[in-house]
């Protein structure tokens, strides 16, 4: 998978909150890691799951990437906005390569240890008029923030 350094770093930063805060010391080997592959990046904790689309990972064989180690490496990569990074699975971890360097990061387990994502199906659909919603929320705001005396 080839992706812009800044984009990968931001995605891992966002999801690492879920990966680290909710799973610390709970016994699952995949906590503290993000899973990348099949066009998605995922993080999981005991009580929550987060995912976001990552088109650059489309067709990528899934792998686990320890979030903290990956962010530390990417933070030291020059050309944050323009540089690209290549990440791929290697064993139970990953290899991250940039023009400035290369690192191999071992994950505590393989992608099979990552908890499965339940398939969610949308129940309804429709259009939401943002202007009307904003207008109505603005109209009730004074009542929700007023102190009772």
């Amino acid at each position: 998978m080839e992706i812009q350094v800044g984009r990968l770093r931001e995605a891992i930063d966002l999801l690492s909150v879920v990966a680290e805060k909710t799973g610390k010391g709970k016994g699952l080997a995949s906590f503290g890691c993000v899973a990348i592959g099949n066009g998605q990046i995922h993080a999981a904790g005991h009580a929550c799951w987060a995912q976001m689309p990552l088109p650059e990972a489309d067709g990528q064989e899934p792998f686990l990437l320890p979030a903290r180690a990956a962010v530390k490496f990417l933070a030291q990569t020059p050309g944050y906005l323009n540089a690209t990074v290549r990440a791929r699975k290697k064993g139970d971890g990953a290899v991250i390569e940039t023009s400035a360097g290369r690192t191999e990061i071992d994950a505590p387990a393989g992608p099979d240890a990552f908890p499965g994502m339940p398939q969610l199906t949308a129940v309804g659909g429709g259009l939401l008029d943002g202007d009307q919603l904003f207008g109505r929320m603005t109209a009730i705001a004074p009542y929700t923030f007023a102190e009772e005396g």
Side-chain angles (χ1 to χ4, degrees):
M1 160 184 85
E2 193 164 317
I3 186 171
Q4 185 181 19
V5 171
R7 179 155 162 71
L8 181 60
R9 187 171 156 196
E10 288 169 1
I12 293 173
D13 270 342
L14 285 170
L15 296 180
S16 66
V17 172
V18 172
E20 291 185 9
K21 299 294 183 201
T22 60
K24 199 172 264 186
K26 304 291 191 223
L28 288 177
S30 63
F31 286 130
C33 296
V34 293
I36 299 175
N38 298 323
Q40 300 280 326
I41 182 168
H42 308 269
H46 280 288
C48 59
W49 176 283
Q51 76 177 32
M52 55 189 288
L54 195 65
E56 294 88 347
D58 205 18
Q60 172 70 46
E61 182 181 4
F63 62 92
L64 288 186
L65 190 60
R68 211 176 263 178
V71 168
K72 185 176 178 181
F73 176 76
L74 294 172
Q76 298 171 359
T77 302
Y80 176 74
L81 295 176
N82 299 323
T84 58
V85 62
R86 215 168 322 164
R88 62 183 167 81
K89 179 181 177 175
K90 182 173 184 185
D92 279 344
V95 174
I96 302 177
E97 298 173 301
T98 67
S99 60
R102 174 182 194 269
T103 188
E104 291 184 19
I105 302 174
D106 291 329
D112 297 337
F114 203 78
M117 170 66 175
Q119 292 298 324
L120 304 174
T121 55
V123 177
L127 297 174
L128 177 65
D129 184 353
D131 292 334
Q132 272 190 355
L133 176 64
F134 182 76
R136 291 183 181 173
M137 289 178 70
T138 304
I140 65 167
Y143 302 104
T144 59
F145 295 108
E147 291 184 26
E148 292 184 30

